[in-house]
Amino acid sequence: MTRTAESGEAEAFSRAAVAVFRLNGRFTAAVDRLALASGLSTARWQVLSAVTEESLSVSEVARRLGTTRQSVQRIADLLVRQGLAIYLDNPAHRRAKLLAATERGATAKREIDSCLDGLARHLCESLGGEEEVRRTAEMLRGLSGVLTSVGAGDSP
């Protein structure tokens, strides 16, 4: 590979990274505005979303969200104090409790999800339809998967 090609790849990746960081900030701000009425932040909504359908350990939630166990632990404790989640015994691990949404937590999540429906419709229309958004999401999941393997030492 030539030096020019390598520079082009690095520049393309840098532009993609900056775009994803900017997108994350804008998504966070949009969800924060919607979640405010339910007394949640984006971070609390993400953790609550992860444990609404199934109980998970804090470490499992962190892996799914791509963040640290410590940050999820702090948010989980806040959700428990708010009565939106509870800790359950974990049959697979005595010390690592499972986090689960309470009925109040599931209701708060549904309220936010309902507000997100309007945003989702607007974004789909603006970006060329549902299929285009699905393709974009698939590409982002692929990028995330590759980055996960790089972080695990599977690639250069």
Side-chain angles (χ1 to χ4, degrees):
M1 183 175 301
T2 67
R3 181 75 179 142
T4 305
E6 289 174 0
S7 297
E9 290 171 348
E11 182 180 338
F13 184 79
S14 179
R15 287 177 185 257
V18 169
V20 169
F21 294 146
R22 185 174 295 133
L23 177 62
N24 180 61
R26 290 187 176 150
F27 261 129
T28 299
V31 175
D32 274 342
R33 284 191 300 275
L34 295 173
L36 188 61
S38 298
L40 296 175
S41 64
T42 300
R44 291 180 193 187
W45 171 74
Q46 285 178 311
V47 171
L48 197 55
S49 293
V51 299
T52 296
E53 298 298 322
E54 64 178 317
S55 303
L56 300 169
S57 71
V58 167
S59 293
E60 289 171 317
V61 173
R63 279 190 295 277
R64 288 187 183 189
L65 298 180
T67 190
T68 65
R69 187 200 59 76
Q70 293 84 351
S71 65
V72 172
Q73 184 66 64
R74 183 184 59 77
I75 293 165
D77 291 343
L78 290 169
L79 290 169
V80 169
R81 280 198 294 276
Q82 284 183 284
L84 300 173
I86 57 171
Y87 287 115
L88 304 170
D89 288 334
N90 183 348
H93 194 286
R94 190 173 50 93
R95 287 183 33 212
K97 299 280 188 196
L98 296 174
L99 184 67
T102 62
E103 187 52 45
R104 242 181 91 208
T107 299
K109 181 200 172 295
R110 282 192 301 272
E111 288 172 5
I112 296 166
D113 289 350
S114 174
C115 293
L116 286 171
D117 284 347
L119 177 61
R121 277 191 300 281
H122 173 72
L123 292 174
C124 280
E125 289 170 10
S126 299
L127 295 170
E130 181 181 343
E131 192 53 42
E132 186 62 29
V133 173
R134 287 184 190 278
R135 277 194 295 275
T136 301
E138 194 59 37
M139 187 273 309
L140 291 170
R141 276 192 293 278
L143 177 59
S144 181
V146 170
L147 288 170
T148 297
S149 69
V150 169
D154 293 346
S155 290

